[in-house]
Amino acid sequence: MCSALPANRRSTHVTAPVPPPRRKVLGRLSLPERNFVADALRAETVGGVLLLVAAVTALIWANTAGDAYESVRGFHLGPASLGLHLSLQHWAADGLLAVFFFVAGIELKRELVAGDLRDPRAAALPVVAALCGMAAPALVYVLTNTLGGGSMDGWAVPTATDIAFALAVLAVIGTSLPSALRAFLLTLAVVDDLFAILIIAVFFTSDLNFPALGGAVLGLVVFWLLLRKRVRGWYIYVPLALAIWGLMYNSGVHATIAGVAMGLMLRCHKEDESERHSPGEHIEHLVRPLSAGLAVPLFALFSAGVSVSGGALGDVFTKPETLGVVLGLVVGKAVGIFGGTWLAARFTKAELNDDLAWPDVFAVASLAGIGFTVSLLIGELAFTEDPLLTDEVKAAVLTGSLTAAVLSGILLKLRNAKYRKLWEEEERDEDLSGVPDIYELEDPEYHRRMAAIYEKKAAEHRRLAEVAGGERKDGNGPA
């Protein structure tokens, strides 16, 4: 019989430290973030459908009654004394798109202070993916035009993603993308919009009017001070915003910069629990329908009307400038975003969500190749001195965006059954609490509610079993 070991010789079990779980790429969103993304994308999807309608209308109008189309979009109005006697096309590009970029500024601010971008580790993925998704198309354009001897002026045209157009494609093909992939696409587009604004401000600003620029900056300072002092009233902010926009336009800096600057100044975090929404979220909720439902579709109506004759479409694939745009959108965007995402995951030692596969990331990256609104705007700015090349570049944007839409649609359709299953799991609410079940698994009350539901169902099945048994005894049921 073995005697007990002395205390100092007894073996001790040392528990090895448990390594922290590896961060998931495109993992499930938190419930507040999921709800915000759902609301934002719902409005963008409706706006995207209107955008498609406006673009098709512009193409039909320009190719059936070209003179009438040019006459309407070239019609000038506005106070000449203020330097604002502009054509309808310019009012749409410089005025209405300022509303679009105002909303983009609010979205970016919210992501930075309350969304996924507030965590540097979580922000690394969409930021790196967006940067690679802008650098790769620009590189494709430069290589194409270096080999073909074309103009380098359009390098920025294929760098932008149009979230509204992309979501409209999703609505048409009926893909039930999981919320994580939709949020990834939305965040990509927000970061994309920021860098697009920087590109416009840095590379497409000339002949600065310093007094007007100083006035615009002063107006922005007043706007910021009023927000800091909690001054309220649309009758104060709307006239001030219009004055800032007019000064910015006359300064030589693209007027949409005013929109994104004011959007970034709004407070997008709640200061206490009594606030249901921050001021930025509230204003975004009010202005987003105006942006998605009016501003962007009208811009498309007055900018997307280009000739689509056989010769014009042939030129898209023969001229280096237009071919560079098409390849940049279709190839550069997909490769850049996919490569950036893979590299970010690789070097941050993160793992892809178990429910998804890398082909899913490539499909969403292909969808980001739809670069409609901002690409058209940059195309107009890049080739201002050559109206013919401007129209050809617009045709290239339409061709590239359509090709990217078809390619991504095919790729997403191949996985649509998987996406629908994931989407249904995210939406399931069997206890009718208003919160998806997948977010209540740690809540004891959820399990009590589910137990009561199943007990009620079990009682009903027992009753039906007794009824069926009674019918057999009476000889009325099946043998």
Side-chain angles (χ1 to χ4, degrees):
M1 182 175 178
C2 295
S3 59
L5 290 172
N8 61 351
R9 293 183 61 192
R10 290 175 188 162
S11 63
T12 58
H13 178 69
V14 179
T15 304
V18 178
R22 297 184 71 176
R23 189 170 58 84
K24 294 290 185 182
V25 176
L26 302 178
R28 185 179 301 119
L29 304 178
S30 64
L31 183 59
E33 186 72 8
R34 171 194 173 276
N35 292 338
F36 173 81
V37 169
D39 291 340
L41 295 184
R42 194 175 298 115
E44 292 287 2
T45 300
V46 174
V49 173
L50 295 176
L51 176 62
L52 283 173
V53 172
V56 172
T57 301
L59 288 170
I60 295 173
W61 190 3
N63 285 274
T64 56
D67 291 341
Y69 178 75
E70 291 296 334
S71 176
V72 170
R73 74 174 180 178
F75 180 76
H76 282 63
L77 71 161
S81 58
L82 299 178
L84 297 175
H85 189 63
L86 310 177
S87 67
L88 290 179
Q89 184 177 6
H90 276 98
W91 276 113
D94 295 287
L96 292 178
L97 278 194
V99 178
F100 166 78
F101 280 110
F102 174 70
V103 173
I106 299 175
E107 288 177 340
L108 179 63
K109 179 68 173 290
R110 185 202 163 275
E111 288 290 333
L112 289 171
V113 301
D116 288 344
L117 297 185
R118 72 185 185 279
D119 179 0
R121 291 184 306 167
L125 176 67
V127 170
V128 170
L131 284 173
C132 292
M134 299 185 81
L139 181 60
V140 169
Y141 180 93
V142 169
L143 289 175
T144 304
N145 282 269
T146 298
L147 296 174
S151 170
M152 296 296 176
D153 293 342
W155 65 269
V157 175
T159 60
T161 293
D162 193 311
I163 183 64
F165 210 145
L167 292 171
V169 171
L170 285 179
V172 170
I173 65 177
T175 299
S176 302
L177 271 188
S179 58
L181 284 176
R182 289 179 179 266
F184 179 60
L185 182 60
L186 178 62
T187 307
L188 269 177
V190 170
V191 178
D192 199 299
D193 288 338
L194 170 67
F195 287 108
I197 275 290
L198 292 177
I199 288 173
I200 291 171
V202 174
F203 295 99
F204 298 102
T205 295
S206 60
D207 302 325
L208 286 178
N209 181 331
F210 287 101
L213 181 59
V217 172
L218 180 61
L220 288 171
V221 171
V222 172
F223 189 89
W224 180 77
L225 288 173
L226 291 173
L227 291 173
R228 292 275 293 179
K229 297 295 184 181
R230 303 293 192 269
V231 176
R232 298 188 178 186
W234 65 268
Y235 46 85
I236 296 174
Y237 288 102
V238 171
L240 178 59
L242 291 174
I244 293 170
W245 175 85
L247 288 166
M248 190 69 76
Y249 177 84
N250 282 287
S251 73
V253 177
H254 200 270
T256 54
I257 305 297
V260 77
M262 287 184 279
L264 286 170
M265 289 181 182
L266 293 177
R267 178 167 62 84
C268 293
H269 65 279
K270 293 188 289 187
E271 292 187 330
D272 52 60
E273 294 300 322
S274 63
E275 282 188 324
R276 289 189 59 190
H277 303 285
S278 67
E281 290 174 317
H282 176 66
I283 293 173
E284 181 189 20
H285 181 72
L286 296 176
V287 179
R288 184 185 288 277
L290 175 64
S291 169
L294 182 66
V296 175
L298 281 179
F299 169 75
L301 181 65
F302 292 124
S303 294
V306 295
S307 173
V308 290
S309 63
L313 291 177
D315 288 343
V316 166
F317 296 100
T318 56
K319 288 192 173 182
E321 294 88 352
T322 50
L323 181 60
V325 169
V326 173
L327 292 178
L329 289 172
V330 177
V331 178
K333 271 290 183 184
V335 172
I337 292 174
F338 178 82
T341 305
W342 186 86
L343 288 172
R346 175 72 176 80
F347 287 103
T348 58
K349 297 183 179 179
E351 293 178 343
L352 186 65
N353 183 355
D354 295 335
D355 294 326
L356 300 173
W358 284 110
D360 300 320
V361 179
F362 186 81
V364 173
S366 300
L367 189 64
I370 301 174
F372 189 77
T373 305
V374 181
S375 290
L376 289 176
L377 174 62
I378 296 177
E380 290 181 356
L381 297 174
F383 299 104
T384 304
E385 304 300 324
D386 191 342
L388 177 59
L389 188 53
T390 299
D391 281 349
E392 290 173 340
V393 166
K394 286 182 180 181
V397 170
L398 295 174
T399 303
S401 297
L402 179 60
T403 304
V406 172
L407 174 62
S408 59
I410 293 172
L411 295 175
L412 292 170
K413 270 294 185 183
L414 294 175
R415 295 269 291 170
N416 197 42
K418 176 69 173 178
Y419 296 150
R420 181 165 293 279
K421 182 180 178 182
L422 293 174
W423 183 82
E424 288 172 351
E425 289 178 359
E426 289 181 359
E427 297 296 317
R428 186 177 295 114
D429 182 20
E430 292 188 2
D431 64 335
L432 303 178
S433 65
V435 177
D437 296 340
I438 204 165
Y439 290 98
E440 296 186 298
L441 297 179
E442 304 296 327
D443 182 6
E445 291 302 317
Y446 161 74
H447 294 288
R448 293 189 183 99
R449 288 193 298 269
M450 291 303 299
I453 291 171
Y454 284 121
E455 286 168 3
K456 184 177 180 180
K457 289 182 178 179
E460 177 64 16
H461 282 291
R462 281 192 292 269
R463 186 188 67 80
L464 292 174
E466 291 173 0
V467 171
E471 290 177 351
R472 282 197 177 93
K473 289 179 182 179
D474 294 339
N476 297 327

